[in-house]
Amino acid sequence: MTDPAPPLVRFEGVCKRFGETVAVDGVSLDIAKGEFFALLGPSGCGKTSLMRMLAGFEAPDTGRILLDGIDIAGLPPHLRPVHMMFQSYALFPHLNVARNIAFGLRRQRMPQAAIASRVEEMLALVRLEGLGGRRPDQLSGGQKQRVALARAIAPKPSILLLDEPMAALDRKLREETQLELMALQRRLGMTFMIVTHDQDEAMVVADRMAVMRAGRIEQVGAPREIYDHPANAYVAGFIGETNLLSEGDRWRAVRPEAMTLSTRPQEGARAGTIAEIAYFGDRTRYVVAAQNARLVVSRANVGAPLALSVGDAVWVSHAADAGALVSP
Ligand SMILES: Nc1ncnc2c1ncn2[C@@H]1O[C@H](COP(=O)(O)OP(=O)(O)OP(=O)(O)O)[C@@H](O)[C@H]1O
Ligand SMILES: [Mg+2]
């Protein structure tokens, strides 16, 4: 039997403190070659710190980081086949677009002609043909973002680290960019690791994701696995909205779309009154004030709408096996 190929990246019990702050607290994680991996978690949970250690800008206090099975502790950042794109794009303001994209290639001492052709290839890839001569301040936010991406991809790193790459884009551009990133990643067969605050974004782009809390990983899995089978109440509440209903000494986490709303009493249903109604076009979200609970119900807007107003009496139920049983 042959051993399976090692993961592209392996974090092994990695810890990092800054003074009293434990930024990363014993993270072990494998990322496969060609994977689009998302790191998710609230502000300050250690996402950027984890990436900075992989890029070589910080060293772990304990634990190891392996790339293709080899410990990279001794490698300085510029010798790692890892590129990190920062929260702000950090384009060089005095260099035009082409020279920004060429930056990493010059550092690699690529011949001039090869640089020129790689820059053209990258401009086409991010659909900025003809804009190589512009300075960053002559570009829109979305164009700057694409230049930063082209600059990051040009040296063909084994893994591209994207720290909140879309934070500065408006929603429409963000959604377009998400799809472009996914297409680009597939086309290049590169490995992407993305940090995002936005759980919807992570679910759209990622093959797998890790949910972090206070320096630790709470769960790793495909978006669908995590959404349908959250490991605990924290993950259930962090990824999407959820109703936590007590069941014995555990909780049943039931998604709003798995709850049913009725205007008549139903066997086993909880009685309550409508506290909020929010219309989203494709669905309507109801908040129901029930005894000791605030229940959220999401209903697809197909067929006849429910004639409901705030204050109306309703009954909320779910299938006995809906959602997942989780520990607190
Ligand atoms: N250089 C540093 N010196 C001191 N503390 C730091 C340093 N870098 C990070 N920290 C602290 O470590 C913790 C984790 O920070 P980190 O930047 O990794 O969080 P994050 O998950 O990326 O947050 P955000 O989503 O806000 O970017 C925070 O409490 C932060 O204040
Ligand atoms: Mg960060």
Side-chain angles (χ1 to χ4, degrees), residues 43-44 46-49 87 163-164 195 197:
S43 186
K47 306 178 295 293
T48 298
S49 301
Q87 265 165 311
D163 194 353
E164 297 268 358
V195 164
H197 270 105

Side-chain angles (χ1 to χ4, degrees), residues 16-231:
K16 181 74 190 174
R17 319 172 63 105
F18 296 102
E20 292 292 287
T21 309
V22 181
V24 175
D25 190 9
V27 164
S28 294
L29 175 68
D30 283 357
I31 296 169
K33 192 167 163 32
E35 206 168 25
F36 202 138
F37 194 91
L39 267 184
L40 212 60
S43 186
C45 73
K47 306 178 295 293
T48 298
S49 301
L50 197 61
M51 273 196 170
R52 288 175 57 83
M53 286 190 276
L54 175 54
F57 302 123
E58 304 283 356
D61 297 330
T62 53
R64 302 196 302 164
I65 302 175
L66 311 180
L67 200 73
D68 273 326
I70 295 163
D71 190 337
I72 53 173
L75 275 188
H78 69 279
L79 293 181
R80 298 186 182 198
V82 175
H83 186 99
M84 182 158 174
M85 197 171 125
F86 291 96
Q87 265 165 311
S88 63
Y89 315 136
L91 294 177
F92 303 111
H94 56 291
L95 298 183
N96 68 22
V97 167
R99 294 184 78 90
N100 263 285
I101 296 174
F103 185 77
L105 307 175
R106 285 181 205 282
R107 285 189 68 160
Q108 289 181 345
R109 306 194 188 289
M110 188 186 259
Q112 200 59 42
I115 290 182
S117 85
R118 178 73 63 83
V119 167
E120 285 307 311
E121 182 192 333
M122 291 298 129
L123 285 170
L125 198 65
V126 297
R127 298 186 300 122
L128 289 174
E129 292 103 327
L131 297 188
R134 295 243 193 119
R135 281 195 325 272
D137 62 0
Q138 298 169 315
L139 299 173
S140 74
Q143 289 169 334
K144 278 185 212 160
Q145 199 271 348
R146 302 220 290 278
V147 174
L149 196 60
R151 183 179 64 179
I153 292 171
K156 307 207 166 153
S158 309
I159 179 163
L160 180 61
L161 309 181
L162 301 150
D163 194 353
E164 297 268 358
M166 293 173 257
L169 306 182
D170 66 43
R171 180 161 164 187
K172 183 119 193 353
L173 198 53
R174 238 183 128 95
E175 287 173 357
E176 280 172 28
T177 311
Q178 286 166 11
L179 298 176
E180 277 176 26
L181 261 187
M182 290 162 73
L184 203 61
Q185 192 258 352
R186 288 208 191 103
R187 203 155 1 125
L188 300 173
M190 268 171 64
T191 308
F192 281 17
M193 188 173 181
I194 191 173
V195 164
T196 175
H197 270 105
D198 181 343
Q199 25 149 317
D200 292 335
E201 181 166 289
M203 293 215 260
V204 169
V205 300
D207 298 313
R208 285 193 312 144
M209 56 197 210
V211 181
M212 289 184 71
R213 169 166 62 167
R216 293 173 165 274
I217 291 182
E218 294 281 317
Q219 188 172 8
V220 181
R224 176 124 217 180
E225 263 165 58
I226 293 186
Y227 189 82
D228 289 344
H229 304 285

Side-chain angles (χ1 to χ4, degrees), residues 227-247:
Y227 189 82
D228 289 344
H229 304 285
N232 53 41
Y234 171 80
V235 173
F238 193 79
I239 303 295
E241 235 180 345
T242 199
N243 294 289
L244 284 176
L245 308 165
S246 77
E247 191 167 313

